[in-house]
Amino acid sequence: MSEEPTFERFLAAVRGTNPFRSHRITDVGGGEATVESIHKNAFTKLVRVVQDAAKEPISIGALLIGAPGVGKSHLLARLFQWAGEDKATVVYLHNILASPERMLRYVLNATVSDLAGHRGSDYTQSRLYTVLNRALIRTGALKGRKMMTGPKEIEARKEALARLGAKIDPQNAVIPVLNAFLTGTSHASLGDAGAEKRAQAAVLWLSGETLGPDEARLLDQAAGEDGLALADDAAVERVLHVLAHLCALAELPLVLCLDQIDNLDAEAVRALMSYAHALLDRAKHLVVIVSGVKQSMLSLRTGEVIPAAAWDRIAERILELHMVSPEEARAILEGRLDAALSGFEEKEIEELMAARKRDRLFPLGSAWLERRLDGVQELRPRDAILWARDRWEAQQDRLAAVGGKRWLKDWPGPEDGPKPPPVKLEDVIDAEVKKKLVEGTTRRRLQQASLPPDEDNLASLTHHLLARCAGKGASTLLSVEHATAKKRGKAAPAHHLVAKEKRADGVVVTTGVTFLCAPSGHGARLPLQRMVEDTKHTDKRILVTDEERRPLRLGGAGKAAYDALCKLGRQRFLHLHLDFAGHAELDSLVGLLGAARSHDLEIEHPRGQYRKVTEAEVLASFERQSLLLAHPLLRELLTEEIVKGGGDSTPPPAWDPQQTREHIMAELSWRLGLMAKELAQIFASRKKLHEKRFLEVWSHIKKTAQALHDEGHVHATATDDDLFVQLRGKK
């Protein structure tokens, strides 16, 4: 049971959390407080772009630029929240990494994954299902029918979508598969397990995956020798075009947000922007928003990484965000405080009400902010939030030193607390790198649909990291080649990556790495056979599978090939079972390097001064902390050691998991949101647990909050190494 909010509970909240800890958006779907007046003109223009594309059969490119920390991702988060009010279909794509020739296919995979979700048994809750039904209703294709739950109504929807498709898909290539998804999902909601498989097969095909004979038959199609899949980039584009047109007919125009594209390397940026250019030229009712740091984006343009023609199309509408005024900075801080303290103010806690009446910025203080802003004409929103974070921490220290009553009586207290001891630059960088890696991994864990299982993405992430280690430090890696870039018509390579390592005895060992995320046994057959047949080019072969989402499925021929590989022995063949966390860790490592490359990774050193962290400094931190070696796949290719895929070996907690769930839900019932750390502190206090067990409690609370997030009860947002948790539906 939750305790009623009291002054003591308020003091515990001040001690246990910091509403200014997060200074960047990691989840555009989160409920973080925003101030509508900030960048109001830019937001209005962005909304107008979406509305224009909805009304006219055109596609529009919009370029969102500004300095690091001015609020680009916050603006996209506001757009996402606006779209969620029945206005648009926004797909947020971040850290889009694939080999250049498969970039468009990966964009499609990520888009469909986002629209359909990653839980196949609940497609009725997906945005794709909503769009299809709304398109039929808004266009009048259903002739007045609205509620459709029985077999006859489902058949009526199928016929209506076929009629509608004749206008937007003349080749009749995409609509039949969308109909399989629509009818399969509808029948599955009535308990038809076979229909659910049909809907899943439709999502796989729409995502650009290769289907085997069994899955193809579910779609009333035949699979050839290589399976059934979208044949080429034109077919991939066609799916995106049809989806965009259906979204427009549903009065929910499709918006693709490509955020922080300057985090990618030049080759990836060139490919992604070329495909974006082609989509905009040929699609209708589509908006593509490209976001990045102004300096980095202009460098990509002047260096011709982004060709002039692509730039002109993508930057058809340019929105540049600038720094904010001191008055706007104050509004940002007031907004955060209002959100953080609303639960206590609603309960009319006398001490808090009196303090906030005296000073709306309590417990930060208006006088403190005026001193910080003295002589400042404009600043970044990020700077104001960082100042507030430090000020809140100073108040926490003061509260801990003198106690609640004395703290409130003497508030705001001394202007300056004791100066913290100096910290080495390397230690500050290492701490920030570790926190951001945890944050990135957790963000993907909370939004699994944003990182779909994809062989080429896994290969590209791994190559991106290994290429920076070849021939350096204590690594045994000499070189690594991404072997997927073959000319059209050439046979597929035996492996995605080919690495050369030098053992301690001087012998050079060549290792082929194959990633396999095939949804069927048919899709696994050819890659495994190519691995078996590659007897001349490699000394060792590694098979990497997504064990959590796409475990290896084998038919007869595939099993024979796999058995042949296993007979080679562990020194010549290794099957590494990667879980989702392993995929997310690779993505987070690459994303952090990209943030440094685009000058968007900052630390505070010395105290009160902020500096950018370079890509070289991030790599050095990786090495100091052995972060690459901690990953089972990277370690295998950097040390010439065989390491089994890691699993969670933490023993289960001694307390009842159901009690933990009830604790989280009860605490959130009267609060806008809480950090998992604060929830853990309250939990540990009630259970009278020893402080040595706090890390165990904190980890348990985070895992339980993640489970509640997956089930739709709460919304969790990754913030450094913690989670901010809110009840669903609360704003």
Side-chain angles (χ1 to χ4, degrees), residues 16-35:
T17 192
N18 189 334
F20 302 98
R21 187 177 179 187
S22 173
H23 57 82
R24 64 177 68 230
I25 287 289
T26 60
D27 173 14
V28 293
E32 187 171 294
T34 59
V35 180

Side-chain angles (χ1 to χ4, degrees), residues 128 131-132 161 164-165 167-176 178 206 235-249 254 283-284:
L128 180 58
V131 163
L132 292 175
L161 183 56
L164 190 62
K167 301 176 183 178
I168 63 176
D169 182 24
Q171 295 174 307
N172 201 34
V174 182
I175 289 295
L178 284 170
L206 291 165
V236 172
E237 278 193 31
R238 191 177 302 118
V239 174
L240 288 167
H241 294 171
V242 171
L243 290 174
H245 207 140
L246 284 168
C247 286
L249 293 175
L254 180 61
K284 297 178 181 178

Side-chain angles (χ1 to χ4, degrees), residues 92-127:
Y92 180 77
L93 302 176
H94 173 69
N95 204 27
I96 296 293
L97 188 61
S99 56
E101 65 275 10
R102 291 187 62 85
M103 185 68 77
L104 181 61
R105 196 171 290 259
Y106 185 66
V107 168
L108 175 67
N109 192 356
T111 299
V112 173
S113 178
D114 186 280
L115 294 176
H118 71 282
R119 291 186 288 272
S121 60
D122 199 20
Y123 285 139
T124 56
Q125 303 302 310
S126 70
R127 292 197 285 170

Side-chain angles (χ1 to χ4, degrees), residues 544-565:
V544 183
T545 56
D546 184 330
E547 196 63 21
E548 185 172 334
R549 297 179 293 174
R550 294 277 178 84
L552 183 62
R553 295 175 60 185
L554 298 172
K559 186 177 186 307
Y562 183 76
D563 290 344
L565 289 168

Side-chain angles (χ1 to χ4, degrees), residues 512-527:
V513 186
T514 297
F515 297 86
L516 193 51
C517 299
S520 67
H522 182 87
R525 175 177 60 87
L526 289 178

Side-chain angles (χ1 to χ4, degrees), residues 38-39 69-71 322-324 332 379-386:
I38 306 300
H39 302 314
V70 297
H322 301 281
M323 292 192 282
V324 299
I332 291 171
L379 68 160
R380 303 179 307 168
R382 182 181 296 176
D383 293 328
I385 295 171
L386 288 171

